[in-house]
Amino acid sequence: MPTQKEERVVFTQAMRKTHTILVPQMAPYHFQFFVQALKTEGYKAELLLNDDYALIEQGMKYSHNDICVPAMLVIGQFIDAIKTRKDHDKIALIITQTGGGCRASNYINLLRKALKKARLDDIPVISLSAGNIESNPGFKMTTKLFLKLHESVMFGDLMMGLTNQIKPYVVSLDALKKAHQEIENLFEVYFEHRPHLFGNRYRRHAKKIIHLFNQIPVQSLGSKPKVGIVGEIYVKYSPLGNNNLEVTLEKEGVETMTPPLYDFFLYSFDSTAHDIKRYGGSKKLWLVYKALVWYIENRREKVRKIIAKSGYQRPISYRQLKKGVEGFIDVGTHSGEGWLLTAEMIDLIHHGAPNIVCTQPFGCLPNHIAGKGMFKKIKKHFPQSNIVAIDYDTSASQINQLNRINLMVSNAFKNHAVKKED
Ligand code: SF4
């Protein structure tokens, strides 16, 4: 039990050997690599695969009904998984903490409160953040772990981008699944046997991944209307959060485009630097965040060049993305997804996906400002845009969501046919 002195249960050195860290599934293309990164750094880790939406009941039962839907789902997924296990004294939980101004940074406290209510407060909760917001003697964000997590996001994005571009056109889905499996195996070996992740091996790995995708037989690439997915970070990427939106859209016969996850992290680092510059703070910290953005962008640019050379659509740089919102929204708007959400919609429109689903947890204020709140302005500048906001709430009225998605998709097909004729 937590002592009076120490309010939270810490993850100790000894637990590193005995405890399995449960990782919530927040982004399927990336979190499988996160788990591999943790395992190869000496932790026992397990990705949670329970994905029945009914698990939100657990989140609702153990947390206040006023909290954000993503928090209810993450808490629900943890408690649902814990209740099916008998090793309560041998597990720990991990959750990301961005340190931003939005409620997301307090999910960790909400989770601890929920565990207490469920009488599971002996279970340690680890905060995963670039700035080591909370420390635990048994868990350290070392340079090596940081580099592995960095590559997990970078290669997760690569895999997601290529999958988005070819999945609707593959002759057989089995070939795609096989390529995904081979990439997973490749990374297991890469993370396991590479003592340091500096150097240029990541470029070779990017080429290997693209080569695997090139082996997959496809038909009429690029012939379907493109639909972009933007919105709050959790409901944008998590199939549990968005009722399997990617699959739903593919079934409707369109090509999906989901912006890279890395942009969100860059935006978070850059926003911290922005606040230090505008409101004051540690110059050293400002430099650290600026250097971090530079380092990551430098590596991503090399991967982007490889993508472009291979004939796939290359993502734009973070700098270009940020520049895109000039005249639309101030870059000081960075609660939740902030200006990034507007930037992603503008980028999608520029890159052939004027059809957009903007995913919003019910009652999410920052998304109503930078997402739905920007629709009118975007529509004025880009009359071809066809954007729909979809609310994701605790009761998940799927029929309502589907009706709105179908209407947007039918407009996408009409516009696509007109464009083809032109
Ligand atoms: S972005 Fe929205 S859903 Fe996410 S924590 Fe903030 S208010 Fe909640």
Side-chain angles (χ1 to χ4, degrees):
M1 291 290 280
T3 63
Q4 269 187 328
K5 238 174 147 191
E6 178 60 80
E7 279 182 12
R8 65 184 169 92
V9 183
V10 291
F11 185 76
T12 62
Q13 282 280 8
M15 287 176 179
R16 201 174 157 143
K17 288 202 180 74
T18 54
H19 284 51
T20 301
I21 300 173
L22 304 185
V23 182
Q25 175 56 290
M26 295 172 118
Y29 292 100
H30 309 78
F31 273 55
Q32 51 179 340
F33 296 140
F34 276 19
V35 170
Q36 282 183 358
L38 289 173
K39 280 184 179 169
T40 54
E41 283 303 296
Y43 300 98
K44 291 180 175 183
E46 193 181 310
L47 186 63
L48 295 182
L49 298 174
N50 49 333
D51 61 356
D52 183 345
Y53 201 86
L55 58 76
I56 198 169
E57 304 280 336
Q58 300 293 334
M60 288 161 75
K61 186 171 171 190
Y62 296 108
S63 48
H64 194 275
N65 60 8
D66 205 21
I67 70 163
C68 308
V69 173
M72 283 205 198
L73 283 166
V74 174
I75 293 169
Q77 193 179 36
F78 274 133
I79 294 184
D80 180 69
I82 296 167
K83 283 188 172 175
T84 60
R85 306 173 69 108
K86 293 204 168 72
D87 57 349
H88 292 184
D89 55 337
K90 293 280 178 289
I91 54 174
L93 315 179
I94 195 165
I95 189 163
T96 49
Q97 230 183 334
T98 54
C102 208
R103 286 180 267 181
S105 276
N106 294 313
Y107 281 6
I108 193 160
N109 298 322
L110 295 172
L111 174 59
R112 287 198 180 109
K113 258 183 124 174
L115 289 174
K116 195 169 180 185
K117 212 168 164 191
R119 296 177 184 278
L120 296 166
D121 50 338
D122 281 352
I123 300 173
V125 183
I126 304 166
S127 147
L128 181 70
S129 66
N132 273 333
I133 297 177
E134 265 186 18
S135 63
N136 282 281
F139 188 88
K140 289 265 173 306
M141 178 58 82
T142 58
T143 311
K144 230 168 111 191
L145 178 60
F146 175 79
L147 289 169
K148 284 184 182 181
L149 294 177
H150 148 71
E151 298 213 329
S152 301
V153 186
M154 190 167 71
F155 287 112
D157 279 342
L158 175 62
M159 216 170 133
M160 181 175 72
L162 298 182
T163 303
N164 278 177
Q165 289 179 55
I166 73 159
K167 195 174 172 192
Y169 311 101
V170 292
V171 176
S172 148
L173 273 176
D174 289 342
L176 182 64
K177 278 185 198 151
K178 195 170 158 244
H180 280 183
Q181 189 55 55
E182 283 182 45
I183 294 166
E184 245 185 83
N185 299 343
L186 191 78
F187 271 84
E188 220 175 300
V189 178
Y190 179 45
F191 282 166
E192 185 68 55
H193 296 291
R194 189 150 167 73
H196 300 291
L197 287 165
F198 292 108
N200 281 330
R201 259 175 86 172
Y202 71 98
R203 281 201 244 178
R204 250 182 290 152
H205 275 74
K207 284 180 190 161
K208 274 187 197 168
I209 292 176
I210 293 172
H211 174 74
L212 282 168
F213 273 87
N214 283 340
Q215 305 305 305
I216 303 169
V218 288
Q219 279 173 346
S220 350
L221 268 186
S223 57
K224 300 183 176 187
K226 289 181 183 173
V227 175
I229 301 173
V230 298
E232 190 275 340
I233 189 83
Y234 182 80
V235 291
K236 175 162 69 162
Y237 294 106
S238 164
L240 173 63
N242 62 31
N243 278 331
N244 252 318
L245 180 60
E246 196 180 290
V247 175
T248 304
L249 288 169
E250 282 160 7
K251 279 188 191 152
E252 294 297 326
V254 299
E255 180 184 326
T256 57
M257 275 179 91
T258 313
L261 174 62
Y262 226 145
D263 289 327
F264 179 77
F265 289 107
L266 287 174
Y267 151 86
S268 303
F269 301 149
D270 190 33
S271 298
T272 309
H274 175 277
D275 282 353
I276 292 174
K277 199 170 176 196
R278 193 174 270 191
Y279 308 113
S282 159
K283 280 207 173 115
K284 209 167 136 196
L285 203 60
W286 177 85
L287 203 67
V288 169
Y289 280 110
K290 279 290 178 193
L292 208 53
V293 173
W294 176 86
Y295 168 81
I296 295 165
E297 266 306 82
N298 181 283
R299 294 213 152 193
R300 287 175 85 209
E301 179 56 22
K302 285 172 185 148
V303 173
R304 283 195 289 263
K305 280 185 181 155
I306 298 170
I307 298 174
K309 253 190 179 172
S310 315
Y312 292 101
Q313 186 163 342
R314 74 174 254 166
I316 63 166
S317 68
Y318 175 74
R319 197 173 50 83
Q320 287 170 296
L321 195 64
K322 194 173 173 183
K323 208 169 164 21
V325 293
E326 275 175 16
F328 284 86
I329 189 168
D330 189 86
V331 290
T333 315
H334 47 236
S335 256
E337 281 56 43
W339 64 260
L340 179 71
L341 176 46
T342 314
E344 286 178 343
M345 289 193 276
I346 294 171
D347 173 44
L348 284 164
I349 296 168
H350 280 311
H351 288 91
N355 316 295
I356 297 168
V357 178
C358 183
T359 60
Q360 308 197 113
F362 183 73
C364 168
L365 187 65
N367 277 268
H368 274 81
I369 293 165
K372 213 172 179 176
M374 296 306 294
F375 287 2
K376 205 172 160 194
K377 206 164 185 179
I378 290 177
K379 186 86 195 155
K380 198 173 160 205
H381 277 77
F382 306 103
Q384 76 276 32
S385 59
N386 170 30
I387 313 175
V388 64
I390 305 291
D391 273 335
Y392 291 89
D393 57 31
T394 46
S395 52
S397 48
Q398 226 175 334
I399 301 289
N400 193 16
Q401 291 167 356
L402 277 176
N403 283 343
R404 291 175 62 79
I405 291 169
N406 285 344
L407 190 64
M408 183 277 300
V409 168
S410 99
N411 286 335
F413 271 103
K414 267 187 225 154
N415 299 341
H416 190 66
V418 173
K419 212 173 146 200
K420 259 185 169 174
E421 274 173 26
D422 289 348

